[in-house]
Amino acid sequence: MVSPLSEVVHSGGSAGSSGRATPATAVVVSSPEEMRPFEAEWDALAVASGSPFAAPAWVKAWFEHLRPERSRLRVVFVSDGARLVGVGPFCAVGGTLFPVGRGAGIAPPLAASGMRDAVGVAIAASLAADERTPTRIELTFARSSGDWAAAIGGAWPGRPLWRRRDAEHVVPYVELGDGFDEWMAAKSSSFRREARRKRKKLDEAGARFRYADAASLERDVTEFMRLHRQRLAGQGGTGLTDRGVERMLVAVGRELLASGRFRLLCLEVGDTFVAGQLLLGAGAELSAWNSGFDEGYSDLSPSMQCLIRALEDASESGARTMSLGPGGQEYKSRLADAEDVLESDLLIPRGPRYPLVRLGIGTRQMNKGLRAAVRRRLPAGR
């Protein structure tokens, strides 16, 4: 159901002959069907923003296959006249509002160039006027995209929202502005030597790289996720255990394969699926989502070889940066040239339930601290 329009006058609007700013119109939708009229402009905004996980293909597939039980879709579309200038992709369970994609790949808010603060005002006004006003809002966004917590929380009608930083995760990325060959030449001689040696061993083993296509998509996604789960089983496991993940990835692939924005790179030795690396693209940005490989071939460094090959292909197709995803693992530091930060903030509106929500947060923090203290004191092996 489309919520009533919320109109907000903002300083970032386009001025008419009177010199006054054009109102930004924010519409909240609650079903995939209601999102369809916005999808073309929405996708163009994701591409212009270089934000692969904010694309409608990802949002729709996650909501269809991985959304939590009893969740409600709450996507805010912000227009400035006839132009879509912002999207806030949220989902709600009870009074908690959180980003679409949680647990698989967060879809951040989007704004046209120079419009973030105005879009934040419109999103805040729409969510505050929604049929069920949230009692807590979770936000996750890249620091490079600007402070969305301030843009939304600071514009909340009445009083600014209480804000707490929940987590920060480094996001290493590779800059390919001068091309793959120049990037590789800037790496250490030991890195280049090792990469060449492992590529030669792959060639001698008869390995080949290929990308999933429409005919192989379902089979390749299934093998890729099998290797991903198998690889992480001995390291505490993966959060991607729901079999809906495969259905979600296939749905995204069906929409984005033809454009080259869904890239599942497969490494095979004979008839054996040895490794896979999934990448999503938007504009000149690629993001490495996840990988998996057969540990029987670990001496060939298949995951690293997949990433190097993906970088080579990305450069040829015009990509300029490739995110390696949240986390500071050692292999990422060997590839990365720079880093961003993924910030997660908690916002609490100051309404009738504010004291109870704050109390609940404090209690959970205290219990978490007590559990951590107990774990530190347990004897080794317990």
Side-chain angles (χ1 to χ4, degrees):
M1 172 178 185
V2 180
S3 294
L5 302 185
S6 303
E7 294 192 353
V8 184
V9 176
H10 58 76
S11 59
S14 54
S17 58
S18 65
R20 292 181 299 176
T22 303
T25 304
V27 180
V28 184
V29 308
S30 57
S31 73
E33 293 73 25
E34 293 163 345
M35 296 192 298
R36 288 198 185 104
F38 301 95
E39 284 183 19
E41 283 191 280
W42 174 9
D43 195 54
L45 193 56
V47 169
S49 303
S51 190
F53 297 102
W58 185 263
V59 170
K60 290 186 302 179
W62 178 89
F63 186 73
E64 181 178 355
H65 299 291
L66 284 183
R67 70 180 186 269
E69 292 183 9
R70 300 184 302 278
S71 59
R72 311 182 314 279
L73 191 64
R74 311 306 287 155
V75 181
V76 186
F77 294 100
V78 182
S79 299
D80 185 18
R83 179 177 66 122
L84 185 73
V85 295
V87 182
F90 294 100
C91 199
V93 173
T96 299
L97 198 72
F98 55 90
V100 165
R102 187 170 70 178
I106 294 295
L110 292 172
S113 178
M115 297 291 291
R116 189 194 71 244
D117 290 344
V119 169
V121 170
I123 290 176
S126 299
L127 295 178
D130 199 13
E131 56 190 6
R132 183 165 183 177
T133 304
T135 56
R136 53 182 284 155
I137 302 168
E138 299 171 5
L139 277 176
T140 299
F141 52 91
R143 183 175 292 171
S144 60
S145 70
D147 192 344
W148 277 103
I152 295 173
W156 199 261
R159 297 174 60 188
L161 304 188
W162 177 82
R163 173 180 178 179
R164 188 192 72 187
R165 173 63 42 81
D166 265 1
E168 292 184 355
H169 299 284
V170 63
V171 183
Y173 64 92
V174 176
E175 295 181 326
L176 288 166
D178 295 324
F180 175 80
D181 291 338
E182 289 76 8
W183 172 80
M184 182 62 90
K187 307 305 288 183
S188 69
S189 58
S190 61
F191 177 88
R192 297 196 304 271
R193 185 168 56 251
E194 180 72 1
R196 287 193 298 267
R197 185 175 72 84
K198 293 297 176 65
R199 178 65 67 89
K200 182 179 179 182
K201 290 184 69 174
L202 282 175
D203 292 340
E204 291 171 348
R208 71 180 184 113
F209 291 100
R210 65 171 178 83
Y211 284 94
D213 59 21
S216 68
L217 178 62
E218 290 191 40
R219 180 178 69 253
D220 291 338
V221 165
T222 298
E223 283 297 289
F224 161 65
M225 287 305 303
R226 179 184 66 81
L227 290 179
H228 172 75
R229 294 182 180 116
Q230 177 180 295
R231 167 64 181 152
L232 294 180
Q235 303 178 25
T238 173
L240 301 171
T241 57
D242 191 313
R243 296 297 168 175
V245 174
E246 282 90 335
R247 295 190 294 274
M248 179 190 75
L249 296 180
V250 169
V252 176
R254 284 175 178 156
E255 289 209 38
L256 299 182
L257 264 176
S259 65
R261 289 166 57 191
F262 180 100
R263 306 182 188 185
L264 177 52
L265 180 60
C266 309
L267 175 61
E268 296 176 326
V269 176
D271 294 330
T272 303
F273 193 110
V274 170
Q277 176 68 59
L278 179 60
L279 305 106
L280 291 177
E285 164 77 12
L286 270 179
S287 184
W289 181 70
N290 261 309
S291 64
F293 70 91
D294 187 330
E295 291 192 357
Y297 293 85
S298 59
D299 61 319
L300 301 177
S301 299
S303 282
M304 178 64 79
Q305 287 297 312
C306 280
L307 282 167
I308 293 173
R309 176 58 183 265
L311 284 164
E312 186 174 5
D313 294 341
S315 178
E316 291 179 3
S317 66
R320 291 294 172 260
T321 61
M322 189 169 95
S323 167
L324 300 176
Q329 293 91 333
E330 188 271 338
Y331 78 90
K332 294 181 182 180
S333 66
R334 297 181 65 197
L335 291 167
D337 310 298
E339 62 184 37
D340 201 349
V341 175
L342 195 66
E343 300 181 347
S344 296
D345 282 9
L346 178 62
L347 305 176
I348 308 297
R350 300 176 189 271
R353 293 186 57 82
Y354 174 75
L356 288 176
V357 176
R358 284 291 310 273
L359 179 62
I361 292 170
T363 301
R364 283 191 291 273
Q365 283 183 300
M366 182 178 67
N367 291 339
K368 184 178 178 181
L370 288 173
R371 288 194 297 270
V374 169
R375 284 196 298 269
R376 287 195 297 269
R377 296 188 180 196
L378 285 175
R382 288 292 299 275

